[in-house]
């Protein structure tokens, strides 16, 4: 593990679940994950699944509609549209099988 990896907001376990690190902790409480970490996780999940050479992310909107606890997170992605010039995809972040962000 490199020095950079030790300062990540999340680690990825063997099952594909993201585990928050201390760097993802909210400034308000140790029991929650901060918003920028959640948005970064959503972006990374989409990039890992649908990123391709020649494509550049143009827009990302993340709805944080439930508190994101300091607990494992699963990212479920879905391709909405794929063409020669544009790709549209969706990601839902789940905690205990309950959606917390999309």
């Amino acid at each position: 593990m490199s020095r950079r990896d030790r300062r990540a907001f999340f680690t990825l376990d063997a099952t594909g679940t993201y585990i928050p690190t201390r760097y993802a902790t909210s400034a308000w409480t140790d029991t929650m994950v901060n918003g920028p970490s959640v948005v970064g996780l959503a972006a990374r999940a989409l990039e890992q699944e649908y990123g391709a050479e020649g494509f550049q992310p143009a827009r990302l909107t993340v709805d944080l509609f439930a508190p994101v606890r300091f607990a494992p997170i699963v990212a479920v992605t879905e391709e909405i549209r794929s063409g020669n010039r544009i790709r549209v995809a969706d990601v839902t972040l789940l905690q205990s099988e309950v959606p917390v962000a999309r």
Side-chain angles (χ1 to χ4, degrees):
M1 179 182 294
S2 73
R3 182 178 177 186
R4 181 177 174 177
D5 293 337
R6 289 190 301 256
R7 292 190 293 179
F9 292 127
F10 297 92
T11 59
L12 186 62
D13 73 8
T15 66
T17 300
Y18 292 93
I19 310 300
T21 69
R22 66 185 181 105
Y23 298 104
T25 305
S26 168
W28 300 102
T29 176
D30 291 343
T31 63
M32 299 292 171
V33 174
N34 67 56
S37 297
V38 176
V39 173
L41 175 58
R44 184 190 193 306
L46 289 170
E47 180 181 38
Q48 289 293 109
E49 191 68 29
Y50 302 109
E53 183 144 348
F55 282 85
Q56 179 70 31
R59 184 177 338 163
L60 175 68
T61 302
V62 179
D63 184 9
L64 304 167
F65 49 81
V68 181
R69 298 177 329 275
F70 196 84
I73 301 173
V74 174
V76 179
T77 62
E78 176 185 9
E79 184 176 73
I80 306 300
R81 177 179 169 209
S82 182
N84 293 329
R85 295 176 19 151
I86 188 172
R87 285 189 180 165
V88 179
D90 192 31
V91 61
T92 301
L93 301 180
L94 307 166
Q95 288 189 312
S96 301
E97 299 182 18
V98 175
V100 294
R102 179 171 177 237

